[in-house]
Amino acid sequence: MSELPETPSEVGPRIVVGVDGSTTARAALAWAADEALLRDATLQVVYAFPSPTLVGVNPPAEYFAKIDDEARQLVDDEINKVPAAGKVANVVRVAVPESPGAALVAASVKAEMLVVGRRGRGGFS
């Protein structure tokens, strides 16, 4: 499984953005990419996805490889849909089986800013 990489603050400024495939998250990614370009900052793109082990289910190992691949693909797809993201010199991709809030808080430690969309893909309107 993917884990949140260590990104020391000595490397320079870092902007963390959460993505989930929604239009509001894509808008947040576009805004974060523009800011990363302005600040010459690393852009850390985080997608946190539900893991069955979080609710006590233990599926076969192949399942984890499949969801990890799908999560990484979602991150790549979202980056590819935002032209400014392709111009950022350093983009860190993170896909982690964790609750979005916890993953974003962990990723944002020592970051310049955390950018999120207004709503995700959940059932709340």
Side-chain angles (χ1 to χ4, degrees):
M1 285 304 201
S2 303
E3 293 186 17
L4 293 174
E6 292 294 322
T7 310
S9 60
E10 298 83 45
V11 172
R14 182 170 50 94
I15 297 173
V16 176
V17 60
V19 297
D20 62 5
S22 67
T23 56
T24 58
R26 194 168 308 118
L29 174 58
W31 191 89
D34 287 341
E35 284 298 308
L37 288 168
L38 287 172
R39 299 166 184 255
D40 194 26
T42 294
L43 179 64
Q44 186 172 3
V45 182
V46 178
Y47 172 55
F49 56 94
S51 171
T53 58
L54 294 176
V55 293
V57 177
N58 195 13
E62 303 84 38
Y63 174 79
F64 291 106
K66 181 178 185 256
I67 62 170
D68 193 51
D69 287 344
E70 289 173 358
R72 289 173 188 269
Q73 188 62 53
L74 183 140
V75 171
D76 286 341
D77 290 347
E78 291 304 303
I79 290 169
N80 290 334
K81 291 175 183 175
V82 175
K87 297 176 185 173
V88 176
N90 189 22
V91 178
V92 176
R93 293 159 170 84
V94 177
V96 62
E98 193 172 335
S99 75
L104 290 168
V105 167
S108 67
V109 172
K110 296 185 181 178
E112 294 291 310
M113 68 181 70
L114 170 63
V115 181
V116 296
R118 187 172 47 155
R119 292 194 177 96
R121 296 175 57 188
F124 296 103
S125 59

